[in-house]
Amino acid sequence: SSATFSSNTVSNGHAGAVIKLNGFQLTLSGGGATLTNTGSLISSTVSTVGSGNLNITGVVATTGTGQLPNVTIGSGGKLTLGAATSVYGDFTLNSSVAGALTDGGLILSVYGSTFNRTNNTPGNYTATGTLTFASSTAQQLNPGGSLVLNHIVINKGSAEVLTLTASVEAAGNLTITAGSLDLGNFNLNLSGAPSVFSNGGSAYSTTGVGYVVFMGASGNVTGAGTFGNILVNLTVAANTVATQSSINFSGTLYINQG
């Protein structure tokens, strides 16, 4: 059945150890809790998306690179990553706490269908690392409003698509390693100096009027994948967005400033 631990250390400290939730929920509440996950905390099968859920309603720090199931940061919760983390399920951010999700400059890989930010409080995701979409099936990025990410990586099945459901800002780089990105009617705003858009995957496209927008001081574009709509609107008019390879372009290029 489901269980709740309050202000405790939960240790899964052996590399071969597996904790199975089997469709139930593990809630970590209270302050100063530590989740040591050297093994795997899973729904039912390793490296497989299931229905088990890790519910964070307290202040929790993680150590260890073990897998996690679906993760929900609920009201009042805060999760600080201490190692690169793979989530075999959906990730839901529903806390207004400052830094409710703090990635610590590390990689957070989501294998479920959705990264879902349902609380739009600015600053509730302290992003200095990389958010990676790694599923072999279709995924959605639901960023809510006023979200600033750092690096975004799309590394999916070659025929699979990540769909954006609202506009989002990335202060770092955008990388499509495998799979496709569909912006629909929304913008992905790159505000780095420079921001690098590397597209070695299948395609970046839009089924609506969305753009990848270079809005920082400068930028670079590279990769053999197909590029869709791009808007250049740099903060420094004399600077450039430079191509670092031949570009396969299928969309609208709009240069407003730069």
Side-chain angles (χ1 to χ4, degrees):
S1 63
S2 297
T4 299
F5 291 85
S6 179
S7 302
N8 287 305
T9 295
V10 177
S11 181
N12 185 26
H14 190 278
V18 177
I19 297 176
K20 295 184 179 182
L21 298 184
N22 289 321
F24 295 105
Q25 179 166 281
L26 173 63
T27 298
L28 302 182
S29 64
T34 299
L35 172 61
T36 300
N37 191 35
T38 306
S40 295
L41 175 59
I42 63 174
S43 291
S44 57
T45 305
V46 172
S47 300
T48 303
V49 174
S51 57
N53 187 57
L54 175 64
N55 184 37
I56 307 293
T57 60
V59 179
V60 178
T62 69
T63 63
T65 58
Q67 299 174 17
L68 294 176
N70 299 284
V71 174
T72 300
I73 304 176
S75 178
K78 180 175 181 178
L79 176 64
T80 300
L81 301 183
T85 301
S86 295
V87 174
Y88 279 86
D90 296 341
F91 197 110
T92 301
L93 175 55
N94 189 33
S95 173
S96 63
V97 173
L101 173 57
T102 299
D103 64 28
L106 300 163
I107 299 172
L108 173 61
S109 299
V110 178
Y111 288 82
S113 63
T114 308
F115 181 94
N116 193 22
R117 180 171 171 260
T118 55
N119 186 296
N120 295 330
T121 303
N124 65 346
Y125 185 169
T126 301
T128 56
T130 302
L131 178 60
T132 297
F133 291 88
S135 174
S136 59
T137 60
Q139 291 180 290
Q140 287 187 336
L141 169 56
N142 299 332
S146 305
L147 178 62
V148 181
L149 298 171
N150 190 40
H151 302 307
I152 301 173
V153 172
I154 300 164
N155 189 17
K156 304 170 52 55
S158 60
E160 300 302 330
V161 180
L162 171 68
T163 301
L164 192 64
T165 65
S167 294
V168 66
E169 180 180 338
N173 301 324
L174 171 62
T175 303
I176 305 176
T177 303
S180 299
L181 170 65
D182 181 10
L183 297 185
N185 291 318
F186 305 104
N187 291 340
L188 200 159
N189 300 306
L190 299 177
S191 59
S195 291
V196 178
F197 181 11
S198 176
N199 181 9
S202 298
Y204 145 59
S205 64
T206 176
T207 53
V209 294
Y211 282 79
V212 168
V213 181
F214 285 91
M215 56 177 283
S218 60
N220 294 304
V221 179
T222 187
T226 301
F227 289 82
N229 296 344
I230 292 178
L231 167 60
V232 178
N233 190 26
L234 299 180
T235 57
V236 180
N239 287 355
T240 63
V241 173
T243 57
Q244 297 181 317
S245 65
S246 297
I247 299 299
N248 182 13
F249 190 76
S250 178
T252 300
L253 175 61
Y254 181 36
I255 302 175
N256 184 59
Q257 179 165 282

